[in-house]
Amino acid sequence: MSWRNTTNPKETVMNAPARFTEETVSLPIQGMTCASCVGRVERALKSVGGVIEASVNLATMVDGQRVALGNAAMMSDLGIAIDAISEHADAMRSEGKTAMFVAVDGRSAGFVAVADPVKETTAEAIRALHDKGLRIIMATGDNERTAKAVASRLGIDEVRADMLPDSKQKLIEELRAKGARVAMAGDGVNDAPALAAADVGIAMGTGADVAVESAGITLVKGDLNGIVRARALAQATIRNIKENLFFAFVYNALGVPVAAGVLYPVFVTLLSPMIAAAAMSLSSVSVIANALRLRTVRLG
């Protein structure tokens, strides 16, 4: 890792020279991607007094050769030229793949293109959410070209790329400040802050534990159609609650005056305690029966 100090901002210091104060910082990185790990370490370094700029590079030794794997920014930090293969990498990104550059002993050796397969049900789920009038934003740490390629295939309204965990959280706060109600779906450690900040956090059961703990809803199978079904069930539940409150209010508005004897001056009759007890039971039965109608709601 490297950083610059305030004493001589032009000086780049490698491998922590002795004249700098050594500090130990504990950072949880289990389950994080390399990009997120690097981002977290860089932010921790910048928080140390006297540090004004920090960057972290990940590399290892393989058979006596120094091998580095990372994005274009990392190659730039290492002083490795990738111009000869950048065009090919951009072509891969346009297909929705993430390009990771490989360097061996300080020289470019090529790149690796990887892609997460999009589930067959994802496009269907996004269409269903669009039909309900919802706006879909894709917030990802991937390269912008890659993200836009995936978004165009799925019909996503807006893309926010190259985002770190705190950037996703800020996006949620920005949308809420504008008056929007935000539901955030995610499955990684990177998504945990945004899941906690959203009005509704939706985690994939197949994702990281911290994401599940940060969210209010967990989709066990990780299928985005679960969001459509959860929204339909939530709407039906709220509607059912309002119906039950209405029934209870009307029932008591009619029953309490009769029990108090409002009909006595006209009909010279009072409500029998047995009938009143039955009426109270019937009130509870009617609310429960109406609630059971939720079992018949079509969620698909």
Side-chain angles (χ1 to χ4, degrees):
M1 65 183 64
S2 64
W3 63 86
R4 296 194 319 197
N5 69 347
T6 53
T7 305
N8 186 2
K10 294 183 179 180
E11 179 186 11
T12 298
V13 183
M14 302 296 295
N15 299 325
R19 66 175 178 276
F20 280 80
T21 302
E22 181 177 341
E23 295 191 23
T24 300
V25 182
S26 298
L27 298 172
I29 61 173
Q30 183 178 2
M32 295 178 65
T33 63
C34 286
S36 301
C37 175
V38 168
R40 177 165 292 188
V41 173
E42 287 180 349
R43 290 192 297 276
L45 287 174
K46 290 177 182 178
S47 66
V48 177
V51 176
I52 61 172
E53 182 179 327
S55 63
V56 178
N57 300 317
L58 302 180
T60 187
M61 299 297 294
V62 178
D63 294 332
Q65 294 179 306
R66 183 175 179 81
V67 179
L69 175 69
N71 57 18
M74 175 180 174
M75 295 296 116
S76 177
D77 289 341
L78 293 175
I80 300 171
I82 56 173
D83 297 341
I85 57 175
S86 292
E87 184 176 344
H88 299 291
D90 287 342
M92 292 293 101
R93 294 188 184 110
S94 298
E95 297 177 7
K97 299 176 182 178
T98 299
M100 298 180 292
F101 296 96
V102 181
V104 178
D105 287 337
R107 298 178 61 184
S108 175
F111 68 90
V112 178
V114 297
D116 290 328
V118 178
K119 291 186 178 180
E120 296 179 357
T121 57
T122 300
E124 176 189 348
I126 291 176
R127 284 195 299 271
L129 292 173
H130 275 149
D131 291 341
K132 300 295 183 181
L134 299 181
R135 179 165 168 258
I136 312 298
I137 298 176
M138 178 180 180
T140 176
D142 284 336
N143 175 272
E144 184 175 7
R145 187 187 294 266
T146 301
K148 286 185 175 180
V150 175
S152 63
R153 295 206 307 265
L154 298 177
I156 294 175
D157 301 302
E158 183 180 343
V159 174
R160 301 290 185 91
D162 298 314
M163 301 196 79
L164 294 173
D166 55 345
S167 302
K168 294 180 182 181
Q169 181 180 359
K170 288 178 181 177
L171 173 60
I172 299 297
E173 294 171 351
E174 172 189 329
L175 293 171
R176 294 188 65 188
K178 294 179 180 178
R181 294 182 180 180
V182 184
M184 167 71 185
D187 62 355
V189 175
N190 301 347
D191 301 316
L195 289 170
D199 293 297
V200 180
I202 306 170
M204 305 297 130
T206 54
D209 291 340
V210 67
V212 173
E213 293 172 0
S214 301
I217 299 174
T218 300
L219 304 181
V220 177
K221 296 182 179 180
D223 185 351
L224 291 185
N225 273 320
I227 298 177
V228 180
R229 293 192 290 269
R231 185 174 185 272
L233 179 59
Q235 289 180 319
T237 301
I238 293 297
R239 183 168 56 249
N240 192 275
I241 291 173
K242 291 179 178 179
E243 291 170 352
N244 286 340
L245 289 174
F246 174 78
F247 292 151
F249 178 79
V250 172
Y251 201 86
N252 284 283
L254 296 176
V256 171
V258 172
V262 71
L263 300 179
Y264 186 82
V266 179
F267 300 101
V268 194
T269 182
L270 294 173
L271 190 63
S272 167
M274 294 180 62
I275 296 177
M280 286 300 297
S281 298
L282 184 61
S283 173
S284 299
V285 170
S286 65
V287 169
I288 294 174
N290 186 52
L292 290 174
R293 289 175 51 246
L294 289 173
R295 299 175 64 183
T296 64
V297 174
R298 294 186 59 182
L299 302 179

